[in-house]
Amino acid sequence: MWRRLLAEFVGTALLVTAVVGSGIMATTLSPDDVGLQLLENSVATAFALGALILMFGPVSGAHFNPVVSAADWFLGRRARTGLTATDLGGYVLAQTAGAIAGAVLANLMFDLSAVDFSGKDRAAGHLWLGEVVATVGLLTLIFALARSGRAAVAPAAVGAYIGAAYWFTSSTSFANPAVTVGRAFTDTFAGIAPGSVPAFVVAQLVGLVLGVGLVLALYPDAGRAAYEVVTPAVADRKTVEGARR
C-alpha cells in the first residue's frame, strides 16, 4: 500500500508541476497572446499526463484524481474489485498532498515564493457547469476503456481528452478536486483563488455522481473491471486473478 500511495503522491505532484510550470513558461514566452498561452499549457499538460500514467499506472493505477478513485471504489465495491474504502481515503490524502507539493515545486523552479495563494477568481455558474461536463466526460472515458478491455490506451486517450477539454469547457477542465486545491497555492496562469475552490470541488462532485450514473447506464457491469482503472495496477490484477481462480 505504501508504494501505491507514494505513486499517487508523486504522480499527482508531477501533474500539478506540469500544469503550473507550463503555465508560467507560457506567460513568459508569449506574454501578449492568451490563446497561445493556453495552447502551450494544454499541450504540455496532455503529454505530461500521458507520460505519468505510463510511469505510475503499474503501481497504483495512476488515478491522480479523487473523483476517479471515488468512482472506482463505488463501482467496484459489489464485485470486490478496485479500491476499498480504506484505500480510497489514503488515495485522496496522497493525491491532495501531492497536488500542493507540485504547485510549491513549480513555484520554486521558476524562482517564485514557495506558496503564493492565487488571486484569480473563477466563480461563475458557467464555469461550474464546465467542471461538471469535464468530470462526467473524464469518468465515462476511463470506465469505458476499462470495461471494454482497452485500458492499455488510457495514457493517450486520457491525455488527449484533458488536452481537448482545456478548449471545449469554459473552466479549462480542472476536473480534479486535488489539482484544484493544489492550483490555489500559485498566483500564476494556472492558479485559482482559494475562495473559488469550494464551488469548483462541488461541481466536480456533481460530475462524479452524474458520471457514475452514466457509466452504470451504459455499462451496468463496469464494476467488474474496476481494477483496470485508470490502468491495471500489478498488485490489484494479481489479487483479482487469484480470487477468480
Side-chain angles (χ1 to χ4, degrees), residues 70-169:
D72 184 51
W73 164 76
F74 182 82
L75 291 172
R77 72 195 194 289
R78 291 182 180 177
R80 296 184 179 180
T81 61
L83 300 179
T84 66
T86 301
D87 293 341
L88 173 60
Y91 267 49
V92 171
L93 289 175
Q95 291 157 356
T96 304
I100 295 171
V104 171
L105 176 59
N107 287 337
L108 292 175
M109 282 201 302
F110 286 90
D111 198 25
L112 302 174
S113 298
V115 174
D116 188 11
F117 291 109
S118 177
K120 186 175 293 185
D121 290 321
R122 300 178 188 259
H126 68 283
L127 300 180
W128 303 330
L129 178 59
E131 280 302 287
V132 173
V133 171
T135 306
V136 170
L138 177 63
L139 291 177
T140 305
L141 169 64
I142 289 172
F143 281 91
L145 293 175
R147 174 60 184 82
S148 59
R150 295 176 294 164
V153 303
V158 174
Y161 175 82
I162 292 299
Y166 258 81
W167 291 89
F168 73 73
T169 64

